[in-house]
Amino acid sequence: MVRLLISLYLVVITSIVVINQASDYVWQNWVTHAPDELRHAKQVAHVMQAHITTPEQLQASYQGLDIDSIAWLDEQRTQLLNGEVLTTYNAQGQALLSFLLLDNYTLVQLGPFLPSEPASNKLYLFKFISFLVLGLLLIVWLRPLWLDLMQFKRVTEQLAQGNLNVERKTSRFSAISDLTEQFHIMAQKVANLMTDQKQLVNAVSHELRTPLARLKFALAMLQSTQPEQVSGMQQDVQEMESLIDEMLSYARLEIAGEQLSCEEFNLSELLLAQLDKLQGLSGKEITTSISSGVLVNANAHYLARVLQNLLQNADKYGSNRIDVSLIEVEQHIFIKIDDDGEGIAEDQYETVFMPFVRLEKSRNKHLGGYGLGLAIVKKIVSWHKGQCVVAKSKLGGASFEITLPK
């Protein structure tokens, strides 16, 4: 960071000094010494005023006028009488130079001359060019930095999409080349950890199936001799098998998210279909407030999994009633599922979505589940660039609300 600040300071200071020096040089040689017809004419007028003292000298080359032949303003007459060269302009905007000879009566007029170009125009042009050059120099300095920042963006997007083949292109001219190098090392480690995690989950899950199958076979053989002990062991084996299935499902989600395909479908119909399934299995009162014809661009299969998990969750932990609502507000869709169970403590609102997290009290292992249902919900909703939050329900239990973009 110190290197970045020092290089930026040196670039800005050096650029300002060079631009100022170059501007002063060009200004002195282009603007100040530039030909100016009116300025030179004034110099000639001063010379003539100093050397021509009588009307006779003037008549040899110029025709003199008397001061009263022109209607002067009081200020103009005063300037002429004081020996100043007066500049006036005709109807065409051309300049006329007027002055009096030493007799304070004979008037000499030179012109017409083209008016001098205002120096302010050139000054503004110089300022614009100076700022433009400074901007170009800063762009040259910022380009390697911008390329490195774009690499940060590409790498993070690749990791977010599950692409673990992290490309590495660093610029030695960038002021943050060391930071870029460390970032790529970190990104490569993250990619390796993600790869190892997938391989580990898949390998462990599949390799455990073989000994579990042998255990189930052995327990079946012992069923007739020790039925009480075998029954408990079979429950443990069944639990392990269910856990492996859940882990495999969660592991598949990691791969599925990389190839997510979306299309527009009717979310209202999908939610009603899931509610029909729940009503056939649940004895709880289910009230609904579902807007019709709500369309969403998403993956119908995975959103059905989200709705199924949340509805089963409400049925499992609720007491007597479940409320389900679906509304569309501007460019967002809101799905809300409330139950009248014991609810979730506020300090556990975030942890409830973490994998393998099971809450105490009513939400525990005895009711089934391995802490992956809500983690799957959170992951699928995040794939669709949505949000899933939990709060206290108006019914007294838990309230899960999903927000999806259209």
Side-chain angles (χ1 to χ4, degrees):
M1 187 61 66
V2 174
R3 177 186 174 187
L4 176 64
L5 294 177
I6 292 176
S7 63
L8 176 60
Y9 176 81
L10 292 177
V11 167
V12 172
I13 294 299
T14 304
S15 301
I16 292 175
V17 171
V18 171
I19 291 173
N20 282 341
Q21 294 297 324
S23 299
D24 289 341
Y25 177 81
V26 176
W27 182 266
Q28 294 295 330
N29 289 272
W30 179 37
V31 178
T32 306
H33 295 161
D36 189 335
E37 185 179 18
L38 183 58
R39 180 165 52 84
H40 286 298
K42 283 186 177 181
Q43 293 176 356
V44 172
H46 283 295
V47 173
M48 292 178 61
Q49 187 181 29
H51 290 83
I52 299 177
T53 57
T54 62
E56 291 75 13
Q57 293 177 323
L58 178 65
Q59 291 174 359
S61 54
Y62 297 95
Q63 181 65 39
L65 304 172
D66 60 75
I67 190 174
D68 295 326
S69 62
I70 300 175
W72 302 104
L73 298 176
D74 292 340
E75 297 83 3
Q76 294 174 330
R77 178 181 287 275
T78 300
Q79 291 178 358
L80 290 172
L81 293 176
N82 289 336
E84 299 179 14
V85 177
L86 180 65
T87 303
T88 57
Y89 298 91
N90 59 18
Q92 290 74 33
Q94 296 172 325
L96 296 172
L97 300 180
S98 303
F99 62 90
L100 291 177
L101 297 182
L102 294 180
D103 59 3
N104 284 339
Y105 182 78
T106 304
L107 180 70
V108 178
Q109 278 193 332
L110 302 179
F113 302 100
L114 293 175
S116 61
E117 181 182 353
S120 60
N121 294 339
K122 296 179 180 179
L123 178 62
Y124 292 140
L125 178 61
F126 261 72
K127 287 183 177 180
F128 174 75
I129 294 176
S130 299
F131 288 130
L132 182 63
V133 172
L134 178 60
L136 292 175
L137 292 175
L138 288 177
I139 289 176
V140 172
W141 178 84
L142 287 171
R143 186 175 182 275
L145 179 63
W146 178 79
L147 292 176
D148 283 345
L149 293 177
M150 290 302 296
Q151 281 196 72
F152 287 171
K153 180 182 177 182
R154 284 194 297 270
V155 171
T156 52
E157 287 178 348
Q158 288 175 356
L159 292 177
Q161 294 172 1
N163 183 7
L164 305 183
N165 296 322
V166 179
E167 298 180 359
R168 183 175 180 179
K169 296 179 181 178
T170 58
S171 173
R172 61 187 180 89
F173 299 104
S174 173
I176 59 170
S177 57
D178 294 339
L179 177 61
T180 306
E181 182 73 17
Q182 294 300 319
F183 178 81
H184 278 287
I185 294 174
M186 179 192 69
Q188 191 61 54
K189 288 184 177 180
V190 170
N192 293 337
L193 287 174
M194 292 173 66
T195 302
D196 293 343
Q197 183 258 350
K198 288 182 181 180
Q199 293 176 350
L200 177 63
V201 171
N202 289 329
V204 170
S205 300
H206 285 93
E207 291 299 327
L208 284 176
R209 287 187 178 276
T210 301
L212 279 176
R214 290 199 297 264
L215 279 173
K216 291 174 69 175
F217 179 76
L219 290 173
M221 297 294 292
L222 294 174
Q223 181 69 35
S224 59
T225 59
Q226 298 176 335
E228 294 181 358
Q229 296 181 4
V230 169
S231 178
M233 296 172 66
Q234 284 179 335
Q235 291 180 2
D236 291 337
V237 170
Q238 184 65 37
E239 184 179 335
M240 291 180 63
E241 194 169 27
S242 299
L243 176 59
I244 291 172
D245 290 337
E246 286 290 312
M247 292 177 63
L248 282 175
S249 297
Y250 192 73
R252 291 192 200 99
L253 284 178
E254 295 287 347
I255 302 174
E258 302 168 11
Q259 304 169 348
L260 186 68
S261 60
C262 298
E263 61 182 4
E264 190 175 65
F265 65 92
N266 193 318
L267 182 59
S268 304
E269 295 179 355
L270 180 66
L271 180 55
L272 290 173
Q274 294 300 319
L275 286 171
D276 288 340
K277 294 179 182 179
L278 179 64
Q279 286 175 338
L281 301 173
S282 174
K284 296 182 175 61
E285 177 187 358
I286 301 177
T287 58
T288 62
S289 175
I290 300 175
S291 301
S292 60
V294 176
L295 300 179
V296 64
N297 186 26
N299 186 288
H301 172 73
Y302 288 111
L303 277 192
R305 178 73 180 273
V306 167
L307 297 175
Q308 180 182 1
N309 284 8
L310 290 180
L311 290 173
Q312 290 179 351
N313 201 64
D315 180 54
K316 184 185 300 182
Y317 301 114
S319 298
N320 301 299
R321 182 179 169 187
I322 300 173
D323 281 358
V324 180
S325 65
L326 168 64
I327 60 173
E328 179 181 2
V329 181
E330 296 180 352
Q331 296 299 316
H332 291 86
I333 297 171
F334 299 92
I335 305 172
K336 193 173 183 181
I337 300 176
D338 297 332
D339 65 59
D340 60 348
E342 294 189 14
I344 300 174
E346 187 173 350
D347 59 352
Q348 295 176 320
Y349 283 173
E350 293 296 328
T351 58
V352 73
F353 293 104
M354 297 175 63
F356 303 105
V357 171
R358 289 190 295 265
L359 305 183
E360 299 297 330
K361 297 182 180 179
S362 66
R363 296 174 183 268
N364 56 40
K365 181 178 176 182
H366 297 292
L367 291 176
Y370 302 95
L372 288 175
L374 292 178
I376 291 173
V377 168
K378 188 79 170 180
K379 184 175 291 294
I380 294 176
V381 171
S382 66
W383 289 346
H384 293 85
K385 303 187 185 304
Q387 291 183 335
C388 182
V389 296
V390 60
K392 184 173 181 59
S393 169
K394 60 184 179 181
L395 302 179
S399 173
F400 288 89
E401 184 175 39
I402 296 174
T403 305
L404 294 173
K406 285 205 65 179

